[in-house]
Amino acid sequence: MRESEKYIIEDLLTESKNTLDELSSLDDMLRQSRDLFNNNVSDAIKSRFHEDESEGQVFRIDGRTEFNASEDKMVLLVDFYPPSEGMKPLQYNDVSEKLAEKGIVYGIEGDAIKDAIFTCNTEGEAVRGVLIARGKMPEDEIPEHVVIEENLNFKKKKLEKTENIDFKEMSPFILVKEGETLARRIHLRAGSDGRNIYGEEMESGTRRIKIVNPGKNTRTYEDHIVSTCDGRFEIQNDEFYVNEILQISSDVDYSTGHIDFPGDVIVGGSIQDGFKIKSGGSIFVIKTLDASEIVCKVDLNVKQGIIGRKKASVKVGGIIRAKFIENCYVEALDSIYIEVGVMNSAIYTSGKLELGSKGVIVGGTIRAQNGVQAAHIGSRMGPRTEIYCGTDYRIYNKLEWIRDNSLKLAIKLNRIDLEIKKNNIADGELVDIRKKLKESIHKLNELAGDLVYKLDKNDTAEVWVSGKVYPGVYIEICHISYVVSEEMSGVRFKLDKTKGVISVYR
Amino acid sequence: MSKKILAIDDEVSILEALKTILDDMGYLVTTFSNSIDGESAALTEDYDLILCDMRMPERNGAEVTRNIMAKKPNARILIITAFPGDPLARQSLDAGAKGLVKKPFEIGKILSFLREG
């Protein structure tokens, strides 16, 4: 017998004895007069009433439990209540019998029951909400699928603050590099059936997953899907792919930001003032290119014109085609074809500058290694129009840079020389700087000496004017100068190498 | 033997800087900031190249060229100008100047002429 049960029995015995003692005194009363009996009974009842008043209503009950099963039949929570003083404490069997009675058979946590009973009985406190049984949810089968890399997020970045942000730098395009991982292949994971706490089976299903498949310019490498080229990452319908062409249906403006794309760029509208485009391929602009910064490795095609406003810069690795160019700095490693006119611009090309049948060059400087062809050059208003042919503009520009810097150094050196002479300085910092300046000038001169051999490239380059060329136009072919002093029509300017002059052919 | 250069320009700082640079290259450079003095030097001495500014107060580049070429028709003169389309530039070329050099100077063109001459 357990110790607790022994105590309970002892208490019971004591109480019983006391009751019996009370009844024996009642026998004596009954033998006495009726009134005395009545009084004694009345006092006893009164006394009981008073006792009840002071202690409140007490139900003496055994230890017990209350079960709360979840609606989905997956969880059973139990409240454990301790017994009243002297009543039967909770026992494991009580709980297991109740579980059986309620039909709960699956996922029973025996240890949790024991712990709760122990706590409840020893501390005499209720233990509530103990998880006693838990069902098993069915696990759906996950079919094989592809997951796009998180960094290729299509959603535009949310801006926390709008201040200090150059919206020109914001771009909605996702650009990827060759070899970059675009997605990962997730293998099939089998499903498994579940069971609720009543032991009922729950069938598993198949998880619905949006399937996307790799498309063009992608390659699967083990479980990775990588890009096979630089380009724009796109998803359409159920396919993701890398597009080597970036097509912008609108203008390049705040809606697109600056563009930096490894392949071709097609702009359906204009390029707005102040926006930059850098392309690893060609750029096609349907409307105008307005005071922008353009760098492209291949060709630039502008259906309308290039409007530079004296601040735009266009550098192209191939050919340029446009209707007109005005007030713009333009460099092209290949030829430039302009339909209508070139106005007040600095044009540098390693090829030819060729204008349409009515094309005009007015103002500005043209450096075209392989010659110029235009309907008209200059105007009666006489804006400064200079045409240089036969030389490599890149070498020329380097020599100009050397000239600018050696000039600065030489001016400083001469001032120092003056001070040294004036003050009879023999050594010190000024003398050291002088030495350094001289060394720098010498280095630049050596560089210039090497470059000058590469300057002349094409002594057959010519300037062909089908219409008129006006006085004040300056033409130079391989360093030989010619100043147009009278209006001429239908002429070609060519270098006469034997005479070392530019000859005019009609 | 080093080639001799005569430089005539009324802008002294540029003239001296040009001399410093060409000296360093091993040329013997004589400079004049007065076109009349420069012209006289050109007539008394032989130079491999004469660099002459086009617009100077005493005598312009076209006149200097004309005067030098009248007495030394083989002289090699380059005119320094900010505006090659200037009618004076054309006069200089007509007078016998070999070419025009854009201000302050085009080092590539000067070296090319020195190597050709």
Side-chain angles (χ1 to χ4, degrees), chain A residues 255-381:
Chain A
S255 69
T256 63
H258 297 314
I259 307 291
D260 186 348
F261 188 69
D264 293 349
V265 178
I266 300 171
V267 180
S270 298
I271 299 169
Q272 295 291 324
D273 187 352
F275 285 89
K276 299 174 190 172
I277 296 189
K278 195 174 170 189
S279 161
S282 294
I283 299 174
F284 304 85
V285 183
I286 304 303
K287 291 183 181 171
T288 56
L289 195 157
D290 194 348
S292 318
E293 191 179 316
I294 304 294
V295 178
C296 77
K297 281 192 177 167
V298 190
D299 299 340
L300 171 67
N301 292 276
V302 183
K303 204 157 189 183
Q304 297 298 316
I306 301 172
I307 303 163
R309 302 180 201 279
K310 287 278 179 195
K311 59 182 180 179
S313 151
V314 175
K315 292 181 181 178
V316 176
I319 291 168
I320 296 176
R321 286 187 183 87
K323 203 169 218 172
F324 62 87
I325 301 175
E326 59 178 51
N327 296 305
C328 194
Y329 176 92
V330 177
E331 278 184 25
L333 290 181
D334 208 323
S335 294
I336 300 176
Y337 300 98
I338 305 297
E339 196 183 327
V340 175
V342 176
M343 276 79 73
N344 298 315
S345 295
I347 308 289
Y348 298 85
T349 165
S350 300
K352 265 182 95 171
L353 170 64
E354 205 172 308
L355 282 91
S357 57
K358 292 178 181 175
V360 184
I361 299 171
V362 184
T365 302
I366 312 294
R367 286 191 177 272
Q369 185 177 298
N370 296 333
V372 172
Q373 183 182 327
H376 309 286
I377 300 180
S379 80
R380 287 196 180 92
M381 304 295 287

Side-chain angles (χ1 to χ4, degrees), chain B residues 1-6 27-28 45-49 114:
Chain B
M1 198 175 147
S2 296
K3 285 187 173 174
K4 290 167 68 182
I5 302 169
L6 173 66
Y27 299 107
L28 293 173
E45 282 271 345
D46 286 335
Y47 293 96
D48 297 288
L49 182 66
L114 282 164

Side-chain angles (χ1 to χ4, degrees), chain A residues 403 414 445 452 476 483, chain B residues 20 24 90 105-106 109 115:
Chain A
R403 187 273 320 274
N414 291 340
N445 280 341
V452 78
E476 187 178 297
V483 180
Chain B
T20 302
D24 178 80
R90 173 65 198 229
F105 55 88
E106 292 171 281
K109 197 179 279 184
R115 281 171 187 177

Side-chain angles (χ1 to χ4, degrees), chain A residues 196-208:
Chain A
N196 66 22
I197 58 175
Y198 299 100
E200 296 162 344
E201 273 200 5
M202 301 167 76
E203 272 187 35
S204 65
T206 301
R207 190 182 292 179
R208 281 189 177 183

